[in-house]
């Protein structure tokens, strides 16, 4: 049942945090990792999210980003009166101790919140599900914010008024390149992994080998995690690459007089027979038939 809910790689990550905590006898290891790991280190999508000028923009972008990074945990913002809660929701919630994994995500977010809250740590509270009071005090000493154990969810809460606050571009942004995401500076983040992969491929020359690992790294994921995420959306990485290549070939056939063999090579097919088979599989017509139809 658990395997149906969550790809194995994410379960392995959860167990790694839990096992490390038990082996080291340190129930605060998630917080320690979080302190050492800036939020922008979670990948290019999070870096893009953090580049928003106001806190509401950061949160909304991060919520869209999370589904592209992993399908194991999502973030949600809730506002109750004067307080806002940025909550993590796990697909395997209730099945294991998730405190340490949650903390390694939440703690970097605290540094982001302080950029909008005049570094007022007293207004920020960290909520953990499984911790006890002694653990909470130890975590407080590490993160510098109040920790509430035995909470109903893993979350960080702060004054809702901060959501309207703006701040200049953070200093770290000068050292973080968003060149891999130029299209997202003008358009919304993609809402599916398929769209994210297609966007990443759009910025690459297809005559080169477009390996899964390099695209996964660009999306801030491991290769296996990306494969599992795409499988959950009912498609394979290989199919996406094929479709993107054929779409680019269709455009070239319609807009140029370049030989079909040259177009095939340009979109990544060194064997024209393979190009012909892929083109027919996607379009139902041969390249020659498609060129003729597009010009008639």
């Amino acid at each position: 049942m658990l395997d149906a809910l969550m790809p194995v790689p994410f379960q392995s990550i959860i167990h790694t945090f839990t096992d490390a905590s038990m082996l080291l006898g340190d129930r605060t290891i998630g917080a320690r990792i979080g302190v050492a790991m800036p939020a922008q280190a979670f990948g290019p999508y999070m870096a893009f999210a953090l580049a928003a000028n106001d806190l509401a923009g950061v949160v909304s972008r991060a919520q869209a980003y999370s589904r592209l990074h992993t399908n194991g945990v999502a973030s949600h913002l809730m506002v109750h009166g004067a307080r806002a809660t940025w909550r993590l929701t796990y697909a395997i919630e209730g099945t294991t101790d998730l405190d340490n994994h949650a903390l390694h995500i939440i703690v970097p977010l605290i540094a982001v919140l302080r950029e909008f809250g005049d570094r007022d740590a007293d207004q920020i509270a960290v909520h953990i599900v499984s911790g006890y009071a002694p653990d909470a005090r130890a975590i407080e000493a590490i993160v510098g914010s109040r920790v509430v154990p035995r909470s109903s969810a893993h979350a960080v809460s702060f004054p809702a008024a901060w959501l309207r606050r703006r701040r200049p571009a953070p200093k770290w942004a000068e050292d973080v390149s968003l060149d891999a995401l130029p299209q997202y500076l003008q358009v919304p983040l993609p809402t599916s992994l398929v769209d994210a992969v297609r966007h990443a491929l759009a910025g690459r020359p297809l005559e080169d080998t477009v390996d899964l690992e390099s695209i996964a790294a660009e999306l801030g994921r491991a290769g296996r995690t990306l494969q599992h995420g795409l499988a959950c959306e009912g498609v394979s990485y290989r199919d996406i690459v094929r479709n993107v290549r054929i779409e680019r070939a269709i455009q070239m056939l319609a807009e140029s007089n370049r030989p079909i063999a040259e177009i095939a090579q340009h979109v990544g097919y060194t064997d024209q027979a393979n190009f012909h088979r892929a083109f027919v599989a996607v379009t139902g017509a041969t390249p020659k038939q498609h060129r003729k139809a597009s010009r008639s």
Side-chain angles (χ1 to χ4, degrees), residues 230-249:
L230 290 173
C232 290
E233 295 184 10
V235 68
S236 70
Y237 176 76
R238 182 177 181 179
D239 287 340
I240 297 174
V241 173
R242 181 197 63 181
N243 291 344
V244 169
R245 282 176 164 158
I246 298 306
E247 288 167 10
R248 195 171 297 183

Side-chain angles (χ1 to χ4, degrees), residues 189-255:
L189 283 167
T191 57
S192 69
L193 271 180
V194 173
D195 288 341
V197 171
R198 289 175 63 86
H199 277 299
L201 290 170
R204 299 215 177 186
L206 295 182
E207 62 266 32
D208 297 336
T209 300
V210 188
D211 64 288
L212 180 144
E213 292 295 337
S214 65
I215 293 296
E218 185 171 317
L219 302 184
R221 281 176 164 239
R224 287 186 63 197
T225 305
L226 177 59
Q227 284 181 313
H228 278 286
L230 290 173
C232 290
E233 295 184 10
V235 68
S236 70
Y237 176 76
R238 182 177 181 179
D239 287 340
I240 297 174
V241 173
R242 181 197 63 181
N243 291 344
V244 169
R245 282 176 164 158
I246 298 306
E247 288 167 10
R248 195 171 297 183
I250 289 172
Q251 183 180 6
M252 295 179 67
L253 286 167
E255 298 177 356

Side-chain angles (χ1 to χ4, degrees), residues 242 246 260-265 267-282 285-287:
R242 181 197 63 181
I246 298 306
I260 292 176
E262 183 179 324
I263 291 175
Q265 188 168 10
V267 298
Y269 288 93
T270 56
D271 187 316
Q272 191 171 348
N274 288 338
F275 171 67
H276 187 278
R277 282 192 292 270
F279 197 96
V280 172
V282 173
T286 67

Side-chain angles (χ1 to χ4, degrees), residues 94-286:
T95 63
T96 186
D97 182 355
L98 300 170
D99 283 354
N100 278 295
H101 185 272
L103 283 168
H104 107 282
I105 299 175
I106 291 173
V107 172
L109 297 181
I110 294 175
V112 177
L113 292 173
R114 287 175 181 163
E115 293 181 10
F116 293 91
D118 298 325
R119 306 187 66 81
D120 192 351
D122 293 338
Q123 297 296 315
I124 300 172
V126 177
H127 302 262
I128 55 177
V129 173
S130 305
Y132 296 92
D135 300 327
R137 303 295 82 78
I139 295 170
E140 284 179 352
I142 296 171
V143 304
S145 290
R146 181 168 60 94
V147 175
V148 183
R150 316 303 290 178
S151 297
S152 60
H154 301 92
V156 57
S157 61
F158 54 93
W162 289 7
L163 290 167
R164 298 188 296 273
R165 291 185 178 180
R166 301 175 65 86
R167 56 98 161 93
K171 293 182 178 180
W172 58 259
E174 300 173 2
D175 301 320
V176 176
S177 173
L178 296 180
D179 292 342
L181 303 173
Q183 61 272 37
Y184 302 131
L185 302 181
Q186 290 82 32
V187 299
L189 283 167
T191 57
S192 69
L193 271 180
V194 173
D195 288 341
V197 171
R198 289 175 63 86
H199 277 299
L201 290 170
R204 299 215 177 186
L206 295 182
E207 62 266 32
D208 297 336
T209 300
V210 188
D211 64 288
L212 180 144
E213 292 295 337
S214 65
I215 293 296
E218 185 171 317
L219 302 184
R221 281 176 164 239
R224 287 186 63 197
T225 305
L226 177 59
Q227 284 181 313
H228 278 286
L230 290 173
C232 290
E233 295 184 10
V235 68
S236 70
Y237 176 76
R238 182 177 181 179
D239 287 340
I240 297 174
V241 173
R242 181 197 63 181
N243 291 344
V244 169
R245 282 176 164 158
I246 298 306
E247 288 167 10
R248 195 171 297 183
I250 289 172
Q251 183 180 6
M252 295 179 67
L253 286 167
E255 298 177 356
S256 75
N257 292 316
R258 297 172 70 170
I260 292 176
E262 183 179 324
I263 291 175
Q265 188 168 10
H266 182 81
V267 298
Y269 288 93
T270 56
D271 187 316
Q272 191 171 348
N274 288 338
F275 171 67
H276 187 278
R277 282 192 292 270
F279 197 96
V280 172
V282 173
T283 69
T286 67

